[in-house]
Coordinates of all heavy atoms in Angstrom, one line a residue:
L333 N 22.6 -1.6 0.2 CA 22.6 -0.6 1.3 C 21.9 -1.3 2.5 O 22.4 -1.0 3.7 CB 21.8 0.6 0.9 CG 22.5 1.5 -0.1 CD1 21.5 2.6 -0.6 CD2 23.7 2.2 0.5
A334 N 20.9 -2.0 2.4 CA 20.3 -2.7 3.5 C 21.2 -3.7 4.2 O 21.2 -3.9 5.4 CB 19.0 -3.4 3.0
Q335 N 22.0 -4.4 3.3 CA 23.0 -5.3 3.9 C 24.1 -4.6 4.7 O 24.6 -5.2 5.7 CB 23.6 -6.1 2.7 CG 22.7 -7.1 2.1 CD 23.3 -7.7 0.8 OE1 23.9 -7.1 0.0 NE2 23.3 -9.1 0.7
K336 N 24.5 -3.5 4.2 CA 25.7 -2.8 4.8 C 25.4 -1.9 6.0 O 26.3 -1.8 6.8 CB 26.4 -2.0 3.7 CG 27.0 -2.8 2.6 CD 27.7 -1.9 1.6 CE 28.5 -2.7 0.5 NZ 29.2 -1.8 -0.5
T337 N 24.2 -1.4 6.1 CA 24.0 -0.4 7.1 C 23.9 -1.0 8.5 O 23.4 -2.1 8.7 CB 22.7 0.4 6.8 OG1 22.6 1.5 7.8 CG2 21.4 -0.5 6.9
D338 N 24.4 -0.2 9.5 CA 24.2 -0.6 10.9 C 23.0 0.1 11.5 O 22.7 -0.1 12.7 CB 25.5 -0.3 11.6 CG 26.7 -1.2 11.2 OD1 26.4 -2.4 10.9 OD2 27.8 -0.7 11.1
D339 N 22.4 1.0 10.8 CA 21.3 1.8 11.3 C 20.0 1.0 11.1 O 19.6 0.8 9.9 CB 21.3 3.2 10.6 CG 20.3 4.1 11.2 OD1 19.1 3.7 11.2 OD2 20.6 5.2 11.6
R340 N 19.4 0.7 12.1 CA 18.1 -0.1 12.0 C 17.0 0.6 11.2 O 16.3 0.0 10.5 CB 17.7 -0.6 13.3 CG 16.4 -1.4 13.3 CD 16.3 -2.4 14.4 NE 15.3 -3.4 14.0 CZ 15.0 -4.4 14.7 NH1 15.8 -4.7 15.8 NH2 14.1 -5.3 14.4
D341 N 16.9 1.9 11.5 CA 15.9 2.7 10.8 C 16.1 2.7 9.3 O 15.2 2.6 8.5 CB 15.8 4.1 11.4 CG 15.3 4.1 12.8 OD1 14.5 3.2 13.2 OD2 15.5 5.1 13.5
D342 N 17.4 2.9 8.9 CA 17.7 3.0 7.5 C 17.5 1.6 6.9 O 17.0 1.5 5.8 CB 19.2 3.4 7.3 CG 19.3 4.9 7.3 OD1 18.3 5.6 7.3 OD2 20.5 5.4 7.3
R343 N 17.8 0.5 7.6 CA 17.6 -0.8 7.1 C 16.1 -1.1 6.8 O 15.7 -1.6 5.7 CB 18.1 -1.9 8.0 CG 18.1 -3.3 7.4 CD 18.5 -4.4 8.4 NE 19.8 -4.1 9.0 CZ 20.1 -3.8 10.2 NH1 19.1 -3.7 11.1 NH2 21.3 -3.5 10.6
A344 N 15.3 -0.7 7.8 CA 13.9 -0.9 7.6 C 13.4 0.0 6.4 O 12.5 -0.5 5.6 CB 13.1 -0.5 8.9
R345 N 13.9 1.1 6.3 CA 13.5 2.0 5.2 C 13.9 1.4 3.8 O 13.1 1.4 2.9 CB 14.2 3.4 5.4 CG 14.0 4.4 4.4 CD 14.5 5.8 4.9 NE 13.7 6.4 5.8 CZ 14.1 7.1 6.9 NH1 15.4 7.2 7.1 NH2 13.2 7.6 7.7
F346 N 15.1 0.9 3.7 CA 15.6 0.3 2.4 C 14.7 -0.9 2.1 O 14.4 -1.2 1.0 CB 17.0 -0.1 2.5 CG 18.0 1.1 2.8 CD1 19.1 1.0 3.6 CD2 17.7 2.3 2.2 CE1 19.9 2.0 3.8 CE2 18.6 3.4 2.4 CZ 19.7 3.2 3.2
L347 N 14.5 -1.8 3.1 CA 13.7 -3.0 2.9 C 12.2 -2.6 2.5 O 11.6 -3.3 1.6 CB 13.7 -3.9 4.1 CG 15.1 -4.6 4.3 CD1 15.1 -5.2 5.7 CD2 15.3 -5.6 3.3
A348 N 11.7 -1.6 3.1 CA 10.3 -1.2 2.7 C 10.3 -0.7 1.3 O 9.3 -1.0 0.5 CB 9.8 -0.1 3.7
A349 N 11.3 0.0 0.9 CA 11.4 0.5 -0.5 C 11.5 -0.7 -1.5 O 10.9 -0.7 -2.5 CB 12.6 1.4 -0.7
M350 N 12.3 -1.7 -1.1 CA 12.4 -2.9 -1.9 C 11.1 -3.6 -2.0 O 10.8 -4.3 -3.1 CB 13.4 -3.9 -1.3 CG 14.9 -3.4 -1.4 SD 16.0 -4.3 -0.3 CE 15.9 -6.0 -1.1
G351 N 10.2 -3.5 -1.0 CA 8.9 -4.1 -1.1 C 7.9 -3.4 -1.9 O 6.8 -3.8 -2.1
S352 N 8.3 -2.2 -2.4 CA 7.4 -1.4 -3.2 C 7.5 -1.6 -4.7 O 6.7 -1.1 -5.4 CB 7.6 0.1 -2.9 OG 8.9 0.5 -3.4
F353 N 8.4 -2.4 -5.1 CA 8.6 -2.7 -6.5 C 7.4 -3.6 -7.0 O 6.9 -4.4 -6.2 CB 9.9 -3.4 -6.8 CG 11.1 -2.5 -6.8 CD1 11.6 -2.0 -5.6 CD2 11.8 -2.2 -7.9 CE1 12.7 -1.2 -5.5 CE2 12.9 -1.4 -7.9 CZ 13.4 -0.9 -6.7
V354 N 7.0 -3.4 -8.2 CA 5.9 -4.2 -8.8 C 6.2 -5.1 -10.0 O 5.4 -5.8 -10.4 CB 4.7 -3.2 -9.2 CG1 4.1 -2.6 -7.9 CG2 5.1 -2.2 -10.2
D355 N 7.5 -4.9 -10.5 CA 7.9 -5.8 -11.5 C 7.9 -7.3 -11.0 O 8.5 -7.6 -10.0 CB 9.3 -5.5 -12.0 CG 9.9 -6.3 -13.1 OD1 9.5 -7.5 -13.2 OD2 10.7 -5.8 -13.9
P356 N 7.1 -8.2 -11.6 CA 7.0 -9.5 -11.0 C 8.3 -10.2 -10.8 O 8.5 -10.9 -9.8 CB 6.1 -10.3 -12.0 CG 5.3 -9.2 -12.7 CD 6.2 -8.0 -12.8
A357 N 9.2 -10.0 -11.7 CA 10.6 -10.7 -11.5 C 11.3 -10.2 -10.3 O 11.9 -10.9 -9.5 CB 11.4 -10.5 -12.8
I358 N 11.1 -8.9 -10.0 CA 11.8 -8.3 -8.9 C 11.0 -8.7 -7.6 O 11.6 -8.9 -6.5 CB 11.9 -6.8 -9.0 CG1 12.8 -6.4 -10.2 CG2 12.4 -6.1 -7.7 CD1 13.0 -4.9 -10.4
V359 N 9.7 -8.8 -7.7 CA 8.9 -9.2 -6.5 C 9.4 -10.6 -6.1 O 9.5 -10.9 -4.9 CB 7.4 -9.2 -6.9 CG1 6.6 -9.9 -5.8 CG2 6.9 -7.8 -7.1
R360 N 9.6 -11.5 -7.0 CA 10.1 -12.8 -6.7 C 11.4 -12.8 -6.0 O 11.7 -13.6 -5.1 CB 10.1 -13.7 -7.9 CG 8.7 -14.0 -8.5 CD 8.7 -15.0 -9.6 NE 7.4 -15.4 -10.1 CZ 6.7 -14.8 -11.0 NH1 7.3 -13.8 -11.7 NH2 5.5 -15.2 -11.4
Q361 N 12.3 -11.9 -6.5 CA 13.6 -11.8 -5.9 C 13.5 -11.3 -4.4 O 14.2 -11.8 -3.5 CB 14.5 -10.8 -6.6 CG 14.9 -11.2 -8.0 CD 15.6 -10.1 -8.8 OE1 16.5 -9.5 -8.2 NE2 15.2 -9.8 -10.0

Side-chain angles (χ1 to χ4, degrees):
L333 289 169
Q335 290 173 311
K336 289 182 176 179
T337 186
D338 293 324
D339 186 304
R340 178 151 196 172
D341 290 336
D342 275 351
R343 185 185 306 114
R345 180 170 281 144
F346 298 142
L347 289 167
M350 289 166 65
S352 68
F353 284 72
V354 293
D355 181 328
I358 295 178
V359 170
R360 290 187 177 92
Q361 292 176 49

